[in-house]
């Protein structure tokens, strides 16, 4: 009896394999996301408040007829996550002023016509420090290596292994508490995409899967804690952390980024 992969993945893993029209919608949302993120990159400079980034992203999202997914998501108070230096993720934009030598991650998720796309990049503020250059390079390469493992028949464990083995070989650590995730018709779907793991383990990749890979790489140790605002995750040792994220589609022959940028 022929197995219906779409039904099987929904039943076994609660993974929603995407139809062509859904992929088209996610890709359109991804185009908007990248347009906004590219404009944000041009804004980044010393003296900019993190809330200035939030205001810009919010206005550009609404102007395009979209909705900022983070706003009011489980109580998150802003339209974008802005994470500076030791902040790993979920930084709440506010009065913090960017300084020369900082690194800053901007994580954007719009909802356009009911579809979600999710991506982030870490930027240099002014002249980067040597430590800043190292962690941004390792984080970007970690995402690149994770993406390059994607193909039908590969596993989620292959992605995690590729990221972990590279990052740790560079003397950095991989955050365990936050992971990539399915995305497209909801903000967070199955599967969870760990950025550490074992080759050959986990769910096998099949065409139509759409998920993020978003490794958070620390220059120091992997341990973290969440601040009293219940959102902002920071490195426990105060070391720098960087992250890059894209929304990826598993295709018949490999992969396609629905939020593409060079790594």
């Amino acid at each position: 009896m022929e197995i219906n992969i779409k039904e099987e993945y929904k039943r076994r893993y609660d993974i929603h394999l995407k139809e062509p029209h859904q992929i088209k919608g996610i890709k359109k949302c991804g185009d908007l996301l990248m347009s906004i993120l590219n404009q944000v990159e041009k804004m980044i400079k010393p003296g900019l408040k993190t809330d200035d980034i939030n205001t810009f992203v919010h206005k550009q999202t609404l102007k395009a007829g979209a909705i900022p997914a983070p706003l009011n998501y489980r109580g998150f108070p802003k339209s974008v996550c802005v994470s500076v230096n030791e902040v790993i993720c979920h930084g709440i934009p506010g009065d913090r002023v960017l300084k020369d030598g900082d690194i800053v991650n901007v994580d954007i998720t719009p909802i356009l016509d009911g579809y979600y796309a999710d991506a982030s990049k870490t930027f240099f503020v002014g002249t980067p420090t040597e430590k800043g250059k190292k962690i941004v390079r390792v984080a970007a390469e970690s995402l690149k290596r994770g993406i390059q493992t994607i193909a039908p028949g590969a596993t989620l464990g292959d992605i995690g292994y590729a990221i972990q083995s590279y990052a740790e070989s560079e003397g950095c650590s991989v955050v365990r508490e936050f992971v990539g995730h399915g995305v497209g018709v909801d903000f967070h779907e199955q599967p969870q995409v760990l950025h550490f793991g074992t080759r050959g383990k986990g769910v096998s990749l099949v065409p139509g899967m759409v998920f993020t890979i978003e490794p958070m790489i620390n220059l120091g140790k992997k341990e973290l804690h969440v601040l009293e605002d219940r959102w902002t995750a920071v490195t426990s040792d105060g070391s720098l952390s960087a992250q890059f994220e894209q929304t990826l589609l598993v295709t018949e022959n490999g992969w396609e980024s629905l939020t593409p940028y060079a790594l």
Side-chain angles (χ1 to χ4, degrees):
M1 185 174 68
E2 184 178 343
I3 296 174
N4 184 314
I5 295 295
K6 185 176 176 66
E7 291 179 3
E8 181 75 0
Y9 268 58
K10 183 67 177 174
R11 183 183 66 81
R12 291 183 65 186
Y13 309 118
D14 197 28
I15 293 173
H16 177 195
L17 301 182
K18 305 304 189 286
E19 301 285 356
H21 73 276
Q22 294 173 320
I23 294 166
K24 185 177 180 181
I26 300 166
K27 194 170 185 177
K28 183 179 177 183
C29 186
D31 289 343
L32 169 62
L33 190 167
M34 290 313 304
S35 172
I36 297 172
L37 191 58
N38 289 337
Q39 292 175 77
V40 168
E41 184 167 10
K42 296 174 183 175
M43 295 173 59
I44 301 294
K45 62 182 179 181
L48 187 73
K49 287 185 178 180
T50 56
D51 204 41
D52 295 335
I53 298 171
N54 180 76
T55 299
F56 179 81
V57 171
H58 182 83
K59 288 181 177 179
Q60 291 299 115
T61 303
L62 296 186
K63 183 179 176 182
I67 301 166
L71 185 61
N72 299 320
Y73 178 78
R74 296 182 179 175
F76 190 80
K78 297 288 183 170
S79 295
V80 63
C81 296
V82 181
S83 303
V84 184
N85 292 344
E86 77 286 352
V87 179
I88 294 168
C89 63
H90 302 158
I92 300 174
D95 292 331
R96 185 168 183 169
V97 177
L98 299 181
K99 304 190 303 294
D100 188 66
D102 284 347
I103 61 172
V104 56
N105 177 272
V106 180
D107 189 343
I108 300 176
T109 311
I111 313 168
L112 181 63
D113 301 328
Y115 295 105
Y116 295 70
D118 193 1
S120 80
K121 294 175 78 172
T122 300
F123 305 109
F124 296 124
V125 181
T127 304
T129 64
E130 289 305 310
K131 287 183 177 180
K133 284 192 282 190
K134 176 177 179 178
I135 193 59
V136 169
R137 173 183 61 80
V138 173
E141 182 66 19
S142 293
L143 174 57
K144 184 176 181 179
R145 293 193 181 209
I147 290 173
Q148 288 173 341
T149 67
I150 298 175
T155 69
L156 291 174
D158 295 340
I159 296 172
Y161 176 82
I163 292 167
Q164 180 185 8
S165 59
Y166 168 72
E168 292 180 353
S169 76
E170 291 287 331
C172 298
S173 62
V174 179
V175 170
R176 304 301 206 263
E177 289 85 347
F178 302 103
V179 299
H181 52 88
V183 71
V185 296
D186 205 348
F187 198 166
H188 294 99
E189 305 174 25
Q190 291 297 327
Q192 292 195 335
V193 182
L194 278 59
H195 304 117
F196 57 97
T198 305
R199 279 179 176 157
K201 298 291 186 180
V203 176
S204 292
L205 308 186
V206 295
M209 288 177 73
V210 176
F211 52 78
T212 70
I213 303 178
E214 46 183 298
M216 296 159 225
I217 308 299
N218 297 346
L219 193 60
K221 295 180 179 180
K222 65 179 183 297
E223 285 74 24
L224 62 82
H225 61 274
V226 177
L227 301 185
E228 289 182 3
D229 61 26
R230 297 190 296 178
W231 281 104
T232 308
V234 301
T235 57
S236 290
D237 61 8
S239 64
L240 293 177
S241 185
Q243 178 192 19
F244 289 83
E245 172 186 18
Q246 293 190 26
T247 295
L248 289 311
L249 164 69
V250 182
T251 66
E252 296 290 342
N253 303 312
W255 58 271
E256 178 185 358
S257 177
L258 305 182
T259 54
Y261 57 79
L263 289 164

